[in-house]
Amino acid sequence: MKRLGTWHYVFLVALVAATVWILRNRADRPMRRCEGRIFGTTYHVAYRHGADLRREVEAELLRVDSSLSLFNPRSTLSRINRNETDVPDSLLVEVLRKAREVSESTDGAFDVTVAPLVNAWGFGFKNAENVTQATIDSLLPLVGYDGISLGAGRLRKRHPAVSIDCGAIAKGYGADRVARLFDRLGIPDYMVEIGGEVVAKGHNAQGGRWRIGVVRPSDGAGNDDMRLMLETDGFALATSGNYRNFYYKDGKKYAHTIHPRTGRPVAHSLLSASVVAPDCATADAYATAFMVLGLRESRRVLAAHPELQACFIFADEEGRDSVWCSPGMERWLSR
Ligand code: AMP
Ligand code: MG
């Protein structure tokens, strides 16, 4: 038998030491969890770390809430909407820049200035008014992403009645902020979920890939009836759906995505859009835009954006729900 050389011994010892180090590290750094409520929705966070970071996570989410939430009357955005200030904080600047980028590449389907319409249709923080065509016509001139601009530390509005709703991007952005906090601390394994928008990295508590379900879009949507199951060791995913927030009036369904040009809630066969993007704010914004654009237009946008992947659940001709996923999505789909 050939004798092992010195280098083989060195290699073996290093291998054993590395394995022991990894196992000890796992034991020293358990998967910790925290959850709560933010921006009128829930969040769940899991992270592998030696210390409890609940306070740091909450502080980061509060920072986002104080900047962007319309449920918080003292937030920067609420004050900007009431014209009490025109100075956006750094978080709002980052989000509005991203929002504009997505507006430009979706031909205005994504538009944070839909706020007056969101309120009129009863999806904001005010109760629904009786929406007539005259109401819509009076509000449409206030809507349009070029009605706001950033420059020299100020936010300019075309008209004082222009108002902004970042509800379609804030959850994803909040998930990104917590993920960045974990990255700064060198945390290898985590999952951050805010209202269904997710950033996952590394491995779960069992050392396997993170498993994330996309619920079957239906009016009585239970959270455990999954239509798609995704497995990942790192991505940002957001889902928009017309089953998430809607009401029926006179037998007609009104869902919370508003078409910025017609001023009305969108109604088409696309039931939900799940988007994977380099960050969760981007995924969140595109998921909403795709709900406005519908299946055909969304696929056209996807073809022009290789950094995005998506799965769409839509009602086929027989009314059954069908799924279309972009080719790059395949590697995360679990069978
Ligand atoms: P999401 O669940 O991310 O699709 O966000 C839906 C929320 O975004 C709605 O409740 C509105 O507050 C807001 N919203 C509705 N329509 C649009 C739109 N076309 N562009 C941007 N935000 C919108
Ligand atoms: Mg969204």
Side-chain angles (χ1 to χ4, degrees), residues 227-291:
R227 182 66 175 82
L228 292 173
M229 191 54 78
L230 305 172
E231 281 187 354
T232 184
D233 51 15
F235 72 17
L237 167 84
T239 299
S240 276
N242 69 2
Y243 58 93
R244 281 248 174 119
N245 187 1
F246 61 90
Y247 61 85
Y248 278 97
K249 197 173 168 204
D250 304 326
K252 203 168 177 298
K253 181 176 176 177
Y254 294 90
H256 68 156
T257 316
I258 308 289
H259 199 302
R261 258 186 291 287
T262 64
R264 295 178 170 277
V266 289
H268 47 58
S269 59
L270 188 53
L271 305 174
S272 84
S274 300
V275 178
V276 173
D279 60 80
C280 205
T282 306
D284 194 355
Y286 275 103
T288 305
F290 290 158
M291 288 309 295

Side-chain angles (χ1 to χ4, degrees), residues 4-194:
L4 290 177
T6 318
W7 284 111
H8 286 99
Y9 280 116
V10 171
F11 175 74
L12 270 177
V13 170
L15 190 70
V16 170
T19 311
V20 169
W21 185 79
I22 288 170
L23 290 175
R24 276 196 43 195
N25 245 337
R26 276 251 162 91
D28 289 354
R29 296 194 276 171
M31 192 65 82
R32 297 174 186 271
R33 291 172 201 281
C34 65
E35 55 186 56
R37 292 193 66 83
I38 194 89
F39 329 131
T41 186
T42 55
Y43 69 85
H44 300 88
V45 175
Y47 56 98
R48 188 182 293 288
H49 195 55
D52 185 349
L53 296 174
R54 175 184 298 270
R55 281 174 56 189
E56 286 81 351
V57 169
E58 281 173 1
E60 196 59 38
L61 290 174
L62 274 179
R63 216 165 285 145
V64 181
D65 185 276
S66 317
S67 170
L68 296 169
S69 177
L70 295 186
F71 294 95
N72 174 356
R74 300 306 312 149
S75 72
T76 312
L77 192 55
S78 296
R79 291 172 50 238
I80 282 182
N81 281 347
R82 292 193 302 264
N83 299 311
E84 290 170 11
T85 179
D86 62 355
V87 183
D89 56 53
S90 62
L91 288 77
L92 190 52
V93 168
E94 194 182 353
V95 166
L96 290 177
R97 288 214 174 109
K98 172 59 70 182
R100 190 177 184 96
E101 178 193 308
V102 179
S103 297
E104 283 170 353
S105 52
T106 59
D107 198 20
F110 183 80
D111 192 332
V112 292
T113 66
V114 290
L117 292 164
V118 171
N119 279 326
W121 286 102
F123 293 109
F125 49 94
K126 290 186 188 156
N127 290 329
E129 295 160 17
N130 220 351
V131 193
T132 60
Q133 190 57 48
T135 315
I136 296 173
D137 290 343
S138 70
L139 297 176
L140 275 176
L142 302 175
V143 177
Y145 67 89
D146 51 1
I148 54 172
S149 58
L150 287 168
R154 302 250 182 270
L155 183 127
R156 260 173 267 281
K157 297 179 178 181
R158 187 164 50 202
H159 187 284
V162 166
S163 73
I164 301 168
D165 175 350
C166 289
I169 190 171
K171 295 190 295 272
Y173 181 70
D176 284 337
R177 295 287 303 203
V178 176
R180 279 189 220 166
L181 165 75
F182 290 163
D183 287 341
R184 279 199 301 278
L185 293 169
I187 295 175
D189 304 318
Y190 61 76
M191 212 262 291
V192 183
E193 179 264 325
I194 305 180

